[in-house]
Amino acid sequence: MIENKPIKAKERDVIIQSLKAGVVPRNGIHHIQVGRANEISALLKDIERISSGGSSIRFIIGDYGSGKTFFLNLIRTIANEKKCVATTADLSPDRKLFSTNGQARLLYSELMRNIAIRTKPEGGALPIIIERFISDSLTVAKNENKPPEVIIHDKLQLISEMVGGFDFADVIAAYWKGYDTCNDTLKSDALKWLRAEFTTKTDARNALGLRTIIDDSNFYNMLKIFALFVKLSGFNGLIICLDEMVNLFKISNTQSRNSNYEHILTILNDSLQGNSSGLGFIMGGTPEFLYDSRRGLYSYNALQSRLAENTFASKGFVDYSGPVIKLANLTPEDLYVLLINLRHVFAYGDQDKYLLPNEALSQFLEHCHDRIGEAYFKTPRNTIKSFLDLLSILEQNPNVSWHQLIGDVKIVAEDSEPNIDDSDDDFQLTNFKL
């Protein structure tokens, strides 16, 4: 249902510019969300499980342009609304789950920088979470007539018992000391340690008196510790969204690729066996990343057996309880509603400023279907970019007829991603252009 509330120019421009560039906007995605009801319902159950102290892991699988990143950002937004801390990062050649030269540490640093809560959805919420923990501790200390240091120490006792937790607790205590004495340098050094920005133990020792740092070998343990810390800070849990998992599939070195898959197996086992509390992982990847028997997750036997599809999920039945969720194609009705939403955002939420009538939306979809058939259901990114291009032309040329423009939509085949080394598969997507 379209809301009649005006959309701020800043928010509208960010949404439009991001979508026209083929990327997902950080904020405002609720204005354009359509479909995926069953998938969202399944992830809501995961968030409830995490909020009650459990854990979860999901693999969101879809073709390039199918809406994986959009879906991950939507779940991140929902998690924030459910009082969970959420963070996201894209894997890349410089950011991996396993490495020995700092690439896993860089992934952890990216996750820490992108931490989001409801009141700070754009990221950078780590200091707010720590200060909320301190504020709650000060309240308890006042009510119980105890020194704040005692309450903070007692709260961090559970963390101190975890692997690597003693140093984590010391860093939080150092932040409290800087907070209490207005020592911004000490607070900054504590945040630097928590973000894994110390690259040598010597630097950490000089700044905080610690002999350890967060690096490739312990970053996953630190994520589990941080998940417990956000619970102690009054939040319901931690949701970690990892996108572009296909970059692991692209690793040409078999040993390096398998080491990353082994790390995924560790996370999967911990999540399914309940060895992590209040922690959820959502990983987005392409079908090749999952199913390829030579380089995908299915090439690692332990993962293949755990991620195998439900054999009874056939003849139209879909199992949303397993760790793998394949994004279904949007229906024609979903795409029609999507165009309605895009038109509304483009007009700043003002129905009097609509540049196209409903008839034009139907003809646009019919034209796309006639040109390339069912393929346009699989890649809504291309449909979105094409439709926004159409609106932009109409906005800049008010005397031009939309009938003529829709008839002039041409289809150009483009590579959506570069070819993958040692692979015979060519990844081609159809893109619309005016």
Side-chain angles (χ1 to χ4, degrees), residues 44-103:
L44 280 173
K45 292 180 181 178
D46 288 353
I47 293 174
E48 292 175 1
R49 186 182 307 116
I50 292 165
S51 299
S52 61
S55 56
S56 74
I57 184 170
R58 294 282 189 168
F59 296 85
I60 309 301
I61 303 300
D63 292 315
Y64 292 113
S66 62
K68 296 184 300 297
T69 301
F70 185 94
F71 185 78
L72 263 61
N73 279 13
L74 177 65
I75 296 303
R76 176 180 63 84
T77 301
I78 294 174
N80 286 160
E81 292 297 326
K82 297 292 184 180
K83 206 180 175 182
C84 285
V85 176
T87 185
T88 182
D90 291 349
L91 270 70
S92 69
D94 295 326
R95 293 196 290 262
K96 300 175 182 176
L97 288 170
F98 175 88
S99 75
T100 56
N101 56 3
Q103 294 164 327

Side-chain angles (χ1 to χ4, degrees), residues 163-181:
V163 177
F166 188 82
D167 290 325
F168 186 96
D170 278 351
V171 172
I172 299 300
Y175 190 96
W176 148 246
K177 183 177 179 181
Y179 179 91
D180 187 47
T181 60

